[in-house]
Amino acid sequence: MWTVVVLAVAALTAHTAVNARYWLRRPPRRPTTVRPAVAVLLPVRDEAERVAPCLRALLAQEGVPRLSIVVLDDGSTDGTGEVVRRVADGDSRVCLVRGAALPPGWLGKPYACHQLASLASAADVLVFVDADVVLAPDAVAAAVALLDAARVDLLSPYPRIVATGLGGRLVQPLLQWSWLTFLPLRAMERSPRPSLAAAGGQFLVVTREGYRRAGGHAAVRDRVLEDIELARAVKRTGGRVALADGSRIAECRMYGSWRELRDGYAKSLWAAFGSPAGAAAVVLLLFLLYLAPLTSLGLPALAGYGLGVAGRVVAARATGGRAWPDALAHPVSIVLFGYLVARSYATRGRLFWKGRRI
């Protein structure tokens, strides 16, 4: 039994390496100028402490002569709008609007993004950015150039995740590791199957036509993981989707404490699985692959552990993450992930996020 398990882990680690070395797309390093009209769309709700670095970085973008920035203040009560006005300082590229009341049947972020896209009707390319993301000066130009070069309708350049605290360093690197390990990237691009799609809403680039054809955020109005569901909608309507390593051009600090991370994962992890049974099957598989060999003696335990750590190191180096010593705690990361999945189902329907029930 242990031989089969260790061979499976070896195959997955090899897949991680192949994805990272050959199939993971990366933005161009040389400066480029893009011609399409590009609208950067920034939804904010109580982001007074985060929005300033994000907006300053957007104002510093280079190589996008037809750039506009639309910021939607979604009912903030902490002075977010005032911070945006102060940072924009009258720059004509920035438009700040107050979001409308949330209609029945919609979740907050999809509705904010829907309004933003409607306000940017003249743009050829839409770039959705979260307030906790800080872009390099060439980020938008490089992402739009890669969108065109890859000939896709939606591109998701994953930012470098700035993980702080022990909990963050244990859990957050699992995001990039998971899709590099289990998702065949080029097969995902070629396949028309909506189920074979992934995306991250922190930094998302989509053509206006692809967005319109997919039904925009109206098609995912009640989805917690609206980013993944939008990617699936693009595929469902004949479009193509690609992932990219955006660690050179973007960084994201999602959570500042273990409590924020725990609640953030709780609000969305349940939506990543088709059912509790599906979630249990995934967690049990991860436990079998990365924990069970440790209960044996000798070579299987050493080989299984070493291969798991190697996969984490490959994923970290490919996506700008911290490899050492964090990867050495990979089994602990898997245990914490299992706990967060269980907690997500246990709190489903009882959790509030920024004052709204999820």
Side-chain angles (χ1 to χ4, degrees):
M1 170 188 172
W2 297 127
T3 300
V4 173
V5 171
V6 170
L7 287 175
V9 175
L12 288 169
T13 299
H15 184 253
T16 308
V18 170
N19 259 343
R21 178 65 178 85
Y22 298 106
W23 305 129
L24 181 60
R25 293 189 182 273
R26 292 180 171 86
R29 286 189 172 273
R30 290 184 294 179
T32 186
T33 298
V34 295
R35 301 301 176 190
V38 179
V40 177
L41 308 177
L42 176 59
V44 290
R45 179 176 171 85
D46 292 336
E47 299 285 4
E49 296 183 0
R50 298 189 186 195
V51 72
C54 175
L55 186 54
R56 290 192 187 102
L58 295 179
L59 291 169
Q61 290 302 298
E62 301 169 353
V64 194
R66 300 172 65 194
L67 175 70
S68 61
I69 302 167
V70 188
V71 184
L72 185 133
D73 186 356
D74 185 19
S76 297
T77 58
D78 66 346
T80 297
E82 288 72 16
V83 175
V84 171
R85 291 186 189 92
R86 183 170 65 250
V87 174
D89 193 26
D91 194 307
S92 61
R93 294 174 296 173
V94 179
C95 174
L96 172 65
V97 296
R98 185 76 173 177
L102 188 64
W106 286 80
L107 291 180
K109 187 174 180 183
Y111 189 53
C113 292
H114 170 74
Q115 294 175 83
L116 283 165
S118 299
L119 292 165
S121 58
D124 303 307
V125 179
L126 306 176
V127 179
F128 294 94
V129 177
D130 283 353
D132 52 10
V133 173
V134 177
L135 300 182
D138 68 330
V140 172
V144 174
L146 183 57
L147 176 81
D148 181 64
R151 298 182 179 180
V152 296
D153 300 273
L154 183 147
L155 176 74
S156 178
Y158 270 88
R160 181 176 73 87
I161 301 298
V162 180
T164 57
L166 181 60
R169 289 172 60 179
L170 285 170
V171 173
Q172 291 191 260
L174 290 177
L175 175 61
Q176 287 91 334
W177 169 80
S178 64
W179 52 258
L180 278 172
T181 300
F182 295 100
L183 184 64
L185 294 181
R186 289 304 168 88
M188 184 205 75
E189 291 183 20
R190 298 188 183 104
S191 172
R193 293 175 57 191
S195 60
L196 198 62
Q202 299 103 329
F203 184 20
L204 200 62
V205 186
V206 60
T207 64
R208 162 65 67 179
E209 177 56 26
Y211 183 81
R212 182 202 63 79
R213 192 172 56 240
H217 280 87
V220 297
R221 66 186 68 190
D222 59 350
R223 303 295 181 172
V224 173
L225 295 176
E226 84 293 331
D227 44 11
I228 296 175
E229 294 299 334
L230 181 62
R232 289 173 176 169
V234 167
K235 278 201 165 193
R236 198 173 292 117
T237 52
R240 296 184 65 215
V241 173
L243 297 180
D245 167 36
S247 61
R248 183 187 68 80
I249 60 174
E251 68 175 33
C252 175
R253 181 176 178 177
M254 297 175 66
Y255 307 111
S257 68
W258 168 251
R259 182 175 180 177
E260 287 182 9
L261 184 150
R262 182 197 65 192
D263 290 346
Y265 274 68
K267 77 178 174 63
S268 58
L269 265 182
W270 64 267
F273 305 98
S275 65
V282 169
V283 171
L284 287 174
L285 177 63
L286 292 175
F287 279 25
L288 173 64
L289 293 172
Y290 297 102
L291 294 179
L294 301 181
T295 64
S296 67
L297 297 176
L299 187 59
L302 184 62
Y305 172 71
L307 287 165
V309 169
R312 279 285 297 275
V313 171
V314 169
R317 289 182 171 172
T319 58
R322 189 199 313 257
W324 304 106
D326 302 38
L328 296 174
H330 186 56
V332 181
S333 299
I334 296 298
V335 171
L336 275 179
F337 177 75
Y339 159 74
L340 290 170
V341 171
R343 189 176 186 276
S344 181
Y345 276 96
T347 59
R348 180 180 176 182
R350 297 189 288 110
L351 189 69
F352 285 80
W353 188 254
K354 294 191 175 182
R356 288 172 174 158
R357 183 184 291 274
I358 300 298

